[in-house]
Amino acid sequence: MASIGWVLLLFLAQLHTLLSTSIAHRADGGNLTHLPVSFLCHPNQAKALLQLKKSFSFSRSTTRLSSWRNGTDCCLWEGVGCDPSSGHVTILDLNNRCLSSHGLDPALFSLISLWRLDLSMNDIGGDNIQSAGFERFTFLTHLNLSNSGLYGQIPPSISKLVNLLSLDLSTYNIDYSLGFYGPNYYDYYNNLWESSFDTFVANLSNLRELYLDSVDLSNSGEEWGTSLAAYVPQLQVLSLADCSLSGPIHKALSRLHSLVVINLQGNFDAAAGPFPEFFMDFPNLTVLQLSETNLEGRLPSRPFQSKNLRVLDLSYNMNLSGHVPNFSNASSLETLRLDGTNFVYAIPTPSSNFASLKELALNRNLISVDFLSAFGRLKSLHQLDLHCFLDNELDIDLDSGSDLGPIFSWIGQHKNLTSLGLFGCNFSGVPPILLSNFMNLKNLEIDNCDLPRPMPDAIGELTNLRNLYIEFAWFSGPMPAAIGELTNLRNMYIAHCGFSGPMPPAIGKLTNLRNMYIVDSGFSGSMPAPIGNLTNLEAMDIHGCQISGLIPYAIGQLNKLRWLVLRGCNFSGSIPSSIVNLTQLTMLDLSSNSLNGT
Ligand SMILES: *[C@@H]1O[C@H](CO)[C@@H](O)[C@H](O)[C@H]1NC(C)=O
Ligand SMILES: *[C@@H]1O[C@H](CO)[C@@H](O)[C@H](O)[C@H]1NC(C)=O
Ligand SMILES: *[C@@H]1O[C@H](CO)[C@@H](O)[C@H](O)[C@H]1NC(C)=O
Ligand SMILES: *[C@@H]1O[C@H](CO)[C@@H](O)[C@H](O)[C@H]1NC(C)=O
Ligand SMILES: *[C@@H]1O[C@H](CO)[C@@H](O)[C@H](O)[C@H]1NC(C)=O
Ligand SMILES: *[C@@H]1O[C@H](CO)[C@@H](O)[C@H](O)[C@H]1NC(C)=O
Ligand SMILES: *[C@@H]1O[C@H](CO)[C@@H](O)[C@H](O)[C@H]1NC(C)=O
Ligand SMILES: *[C@@H]1O[C@H](CO)[C@@H](O)[C@H](O)[C@H]1NC(C)=O
Ligand SMILES: *[C@@H]1O[C@H](CO)[C@@H](O)[C@H](O)[C@H]1NC(C)=O
Ligand SMILES: *[C@@H]1O[C@H](CO)[C@@H](O)[C@H](O)[C@H]1NC(C)=O
Ligand SMILES: *[C@@H]1O[C@H](CO)[C@@H](O)[C@H](O)[C@H]1NC(C)=O
Ligand SMILES: *[C@@H]1O[C@H](CO)[C@@H](O)[C@H](O)[C@H]1NC(C)=O
């Protein structure tokens, strides 16, 4: 019986591949009037879909599902795919439409022929999700309900989907570069928990991909590893980031040697135990993310078995020590993050070939010219993060290696860098002109750095910059007018930086700016009127400053503003009447100033 089921599953999986290609071909539009009169779609399935459509609110959506019209072939509707011979609806993919509904309409569960259901990035949470009839989807192989606004226990009916190959119930954090106050993505966050992980996975024995990032598994005990090993032997992707898992990482997991992706980052408040050495033996491992897992002890100095390791992230495991991982051949490595660890290097350690390395993050133990030079010039490097200090608890000698000058020269060879992050670094010895080496930089993040002089004019040469993020960096002197040259800037975040003097009027040249966040950063004088030229601004949040005088009348020109905070400064006089033109505002806070008027 079991083997017949398995053969059927394989057959169906292949049919499914065929289907997706034929659907992709048919789904991309065309004028409905040119279609044959006989529809593929079954009327009852069209009816169920229309019922579903009725349950959605389209207030923030990126679609109105206008192709979903009674009397037309539902197999051609947006996001719908059908089996070409039977006409049954097999795919419903409404991923990332920002639709919202209060729970899932029961009509959905009459589409029992579905293979693939993706409602991710829509707000569909509601009380009825617990009793939802997922068990009716007996053919379902792919279910994606990530970022869908779900809350409560994982619906038990999902654990009955024995044919599932891929399950995604994660909450993915939205990257800040999308905008600090972008669409209200929090509405889409799942807030799910599961206290009986063992029961949950017991019948999901065909799973190849399991993504439960941010699902609260804190009450599932330590058996999550043994349960997975016992019930889900063919697992290839295991993603349980930020699940409040309890450690240690059980050695039963060594049975899951087909794993290709392992992401357990942000777990194990209590120790995860020693580095799970058996992961090094998985032949197909490509991604290993174990940052912030409280690993302790030493990393074994033998190489990984896998020839295809792309991502190795061991960052923020303060008690993990030993030498930098030993790569016999690192030619496939793209990401190496070792910041916040206690690794040391032994020259000549990186004798391997790092030609593919795109992202490198190191902590101060490793930031030395000797070590970096051993990497050679990294032709593919796009992102570099240097954490010049460790947690103070670890009592690292702060005097050695703090001179960034020669290190900047090494960095400066990497003209393809698009992201540079500097954390706790001392810039005293760095010639400001070195900044102009990074013409391709899109993201610059400076946090907790000692900057005992004015911001250099050379900042204006980073003309491709999209995101500027500076926090706890004590500049002396004013912000240079050269900042106005950053005409591609989308997001500016400046917090706890000691600028003196007024904001430069040239700031009005940053006409692509979407989000401006300036907090506790010391500006004084009046606010420059050209700020009214930032007409693409969606959020302006300036608080904790000495800026005085009137709020410029020109602020009323910023008609895309959805968020305006000018709190805790020294503004006085009357609130400009032009503010009534900011019709998109959802947030207005002018408190703790000396303003009057209405
Ligand atoms: C589609 O059909 C409608 C109604 O017959 C017609 O008005 C329209 O021009 C057609 N569009 C195209 C692109 O052929
Ligand atoms: C679709 O149209 C048919 C015929 O016009 C009608 O009987 C049916 O009620 C409609 N269905 C929906 C869901 O509107
Ligand atoms: C699920 O959807 C999200 C967002 O649309 C996407 O990022 C993720 O990769 C999908 N998961 C799987 C397993 O395909
Ligand atoms: C798993 O499947 C078996 C056999 O169909 C069934 O008896 C059991 O209740 C199922 N377990 C869960 C948690 O659904
Ligand atoms: C590793 O991948 C290869 C090629 O896809 C496959 O044949 C092999 O079975 C995989 N090994 C494991 C242990 O999954
Ligand atoms: C790296 O691994 C190889 C092979 O196991 C071993 O010969 C070599 O000594 C190791 N290097 C270091 C620095 O541990
Ligand atoms: C590191 O180990 C020490 C001593 O065992 C322990 O006190 C400390 O809490 C550990 N730190 C972390 C971040 O795990
Ligand atoms: C490293 O691995 C790549 C591909 O796996 C191979 O092409 C290359 O020859 C290897 N280099 C060395 C020095 O073994
Ligand atoms: C930048 O990237 C190109 C294309 O990948 C490469 O050929 C070139 O050597 C790189 N430049 C540097 C300075 O690394
Ligand atoms: C930064 O470096 C300068 C000179 O290189 C040194 O005088 C200063 O003490 C350093 N500051 C810190 C916090 O290490
Ligand atoms: C602001 O824009 C106006 C007209 O668009 C222009 O005349 C003025 O020079 C601009 N101000 C600055 C400082 O860019
Ligand atoms: C609002 O905008 C309109 C059109 O640009 C303009 O005529 C009007 O004067 C503005 N109102 C205020 C109070 O600035």
Side-chain angles (χ1 to χ4, degrees):
M1 206 41 213
S3 68
I4 292 173
W6 182 228
V7 169
L8 179 67
L9 184 69
L10 277 178
F11 165 72
L12 290 173
Q14 282 172 18
L15 179 65
H16 175 65
T17 316
L18 279 173
L19 278 183
S20 350
T21 38
S22 75
I23 283 150
H25 175 69
R26 298 195 53 185
D28 59 7
N31 202 324
L32 294 174
T33 54
H34 298 301
L35 289 169
V37 214
S38 67
F39 293 165
L40 202 49
C41 171
H42 291 250
N44 59 341
Q45 301 208 315
K47 191 174 162 206
L49 288 165
L50 288 173
Q51 180 62 32
L52 183 67
K53 176 181 176 180
K54 228 192 264 175
S55 73
F56 290 136
S57 137
F58 295 92
S59 56
R60 286 184 301 189
S61 64
T62 57
T63 178
R64 304 205 67 83
L65 296 180
S66 47
S67 59
W68 292 34
R69 279 185 292 116
N70 194 6
T72 62
D73 187 350
C74 78
C75 296
L76 297 165
W77 292 355
E78 176 184 350
V80 178
C82 295
D83 178 325
S85 51
S86 72
H88 288 130
V89 174
T90 52
I91 298 176
L92 181 58
D93 181 355
L94 294 177
N95 153 345
N96 209 356
R97 305 296 205 278
C98 302
L99 296 161
S100 56
S101 65
H102 189 70
L104 280 172
D105 195 287
L108 174 71
F109 299 101
S110 63
L111 300 171
I112 55 172
S113 47
L114 280 178
W115 284 98
R116 188 183 286 259
L117 176 61
D118 187 340
L119 298 175
S120 61
M121 296 296 284
N122 296 290
D123 179 13
I124 55 169
D127 301 332
N128 72 353
I129 201 77
Q130 284 315 310
S131 51
F134 287 100
E135 77 283 354
R136 304 192 64 196
F137 296 136
T138 48
F139 295 108
L140 206 65
T141 57
H142 292 74
L143 178 60
N144 193 341
L145 298 174
S146 64
N147 291 64
S148 300
L150 306 180
Y151 53 89
Q153 189 184 2
I154 297 179
S157 55
I158 290 180
S159 67
K160 304 214 160 67
L161 298 174
V162 295
N163 287 324
L164 271 189
L165 300 175
S166 172
L167 174 62
D168 191 343
L169 300 174
S170 293
T171 295
Y172 298 108
N173 291 320
I174 316 292
D175 184 354
Y176 79 81
S177 63
L178 291 176
F180 307 114
Y181 306 98
N184 212 355
Y185 281 118
Y186 293 108
D187 290 353
Y188 306 136
Y189 281 14
N190 289 340
N191 195 355
L192 292 167
W193 52 268
E194 181 54 67
S195 56
S196 180
F197 190 76
D198 193 72
T199 315
F200 173 61
V201 294
N203 283 342
L204 300 180
S205 54
N206 284 310
L207 269 188
R208 305 295 198 277
E209 305 181 343
L210 179 62
Y211 296 87
L212 298 178
D213 300 4
S214 295
V215 173
D216 181 355
L217 301 177
S218 57
N219 291 321
S220 269
E222 289 174 19
E223 90 264 19
W224 59 274
T226 42
S227 306
L228 284 169
Y231 301 124
V232 199
Q234 302 172 90
L235 205 60
Q236 293 173 358
V237 176
L238 175 62
S239 196
L240 301 177
D242 303 309
C243 290
S244 305
L245 293 173
S246 316
I249 297 175
H250 202 283
K251 65 177 187 306
L253 284 172
S254 65
R255 275 188 262 155
L256 300 181
H257 45 72
S258 297
L259 280 172
V260 174
V261 172
I262 301 173
N263 182 358
L264 297 175
Q265 71 188 21
N267 282 297
F268 316 116
D269 280 348
F275 179 84
E277 188 171 348
F278 52 83
F279 287 166
M280 293 175 112
D281 299 325
F282 292 167
N284 292 338
L285 195 65
T286 63
V287 174
L288 181 59
Q289 288 172 286
L290 295 175
S291 72
E292 295 181 79
T293 47
N294 277 315
L295 289 168
E296 54 194 23
R298 292 176 70 84
L299 186 81
S301 68
R302 66 193 181 89
F304 284 81
Q305 290 290 301
S306 168
K307 296 269 175 293
N308 298 312
L309 198 63
R310 281 194 299 106
V311 175
L312 179 62
D313 184 352
L314 301 175
S315 58
Y316 291 94
N317 289 292
M318 305 283 185
N319 283 352
L320 190 59
S321 62
H323 286 114
V324 165
N326 183 352
F327 301 98
S328 58
N329 181 351
S331 67
S332 55
L333 201 66
E334 294 173 8
T335 296
L336 177 60
R337 299 199 69 100
L338 303 174
D339 45 325
T341 60
N342 209 1
F343 288 120
V344 293
Y345 62 91
I347 289 186
T349 307
S351 54
S352 342
N353 160 14
F354 287 93
S356 303
L357 202 63
K358 293 185 177 137
E359 184 181 340
L360 177 62
L362 299 173
N363 75 319
R364 72 166 288 120
N365 288 0
L366 303 175
I367 300 171
S368 86
V369 172
D370 289 350
F371 179 64
L372 293 173
S373 306
F375 278 98
R377 190 163 63 76
L378 301 170
K379 288 207 176 93
S380 304
L381 199 65
H382 282 288
Q383 176 167 350
L384 180 66
D385 290 331
L386 298 182
H387 291 246
C388 301
F389 67 90
L390 260 184
D391 203 285
N392 289 335
E393 291 163 27
L394 280 178
D395 197 23
I396 297 287
D397 173 12
L398 277 170
D399 294 332
S400 62
S402 61
D403 183 2
L404 275 182
I407 290 170
F408 250 74
S409 301
W410 177 84
I411 305 173
Q413 298 170 19
H414 297 91
K415 299 197 191 306
N416 289 341
L417 269 192
T418 55
S419 293
L420 178 61
L422 299 165
F423 308 88
C425 298
N426 184 350
F427 281 81
S428 308
V430 182
I433 193 67
L434 283 173
L435 270 182
S436 51
N437 279 341
F438 306 119
M439 292 300 291
N440 293 310
L441 219 53
K442 291 198 165 71
N443 307 297
L444 176 60
E445 181 167 359
I446 298 177
D447 199 340
N448 252 300
C449 290
D450 198 8
L451 300 157
R453 58 159 167 240
M455 178 183 258
D457 285 339
I459 188 103
E461 295 180 33
L462 306 179
T463 49
N464 283 307
L465 215 57
R466 299 287 191 283
N467 301 298
L468 176 63
Y469 185 108
I470 306 181
E471 189 168 30
F472 292 107
W474 291 97
F475 296 100
S476 64
M479 178 182 268
I483 198 95
E485 305 307 315
L486 306 182
T487 49
N488 283 305
L489 208 61
R490 301 290 192 279
N491 298 298
M492 176 193 265
Y493 180 102
I494 295 180
H496 314 288
C497 296
F499 288 105
S500 61
M503 216 178 256
I507 216 160
K509 297 203 294 192
L510 304 179
T511 49
N512 278 309
L513 211 57
R514 305 291 193 277
N515 296 287
M516 177 191 242
Y517 185 95
I518 299 180
V519 53
D520 292 336
S521 292
F523 292 103
S524 58
S526 57
M527 182 178 260
I531 207 129
N533 286 9
L534 304 180
T535 48
N536 281 308
L537 215 54
E538 292 165 19
M540 180 193 283
D541 188 333
I542 300 180
H543 65 265
C545 65
Q546 274 74 54
I547 300 179
S548 55
L550 297 171
I551 295 177
Y553 185 82
I555 209 146
Q557 295 166 31
L558 308 182
N559 57 15
K560 290 187 184 158
L561 272 188
R562 286 185 285 129
W563 182 290
L564 176 60
V565 174
L566 300 172
R567 168 165 41 87
C569 297
N570 277 335
F571 289 111
S572 58
S574 48
I575 298 172
S577 57
S578 59
I579 232 160
V580 303
N581 270 355
L582 303 181
T583 52
Q584 307 287 314
L585 278 188
T586 58
M587 169 64 163
L588 175 64
D589 182 354
L590 306 177
S591 62
S592 304
N593 289 294
S594 307
L595 295 165
N596 55 48
T598 48

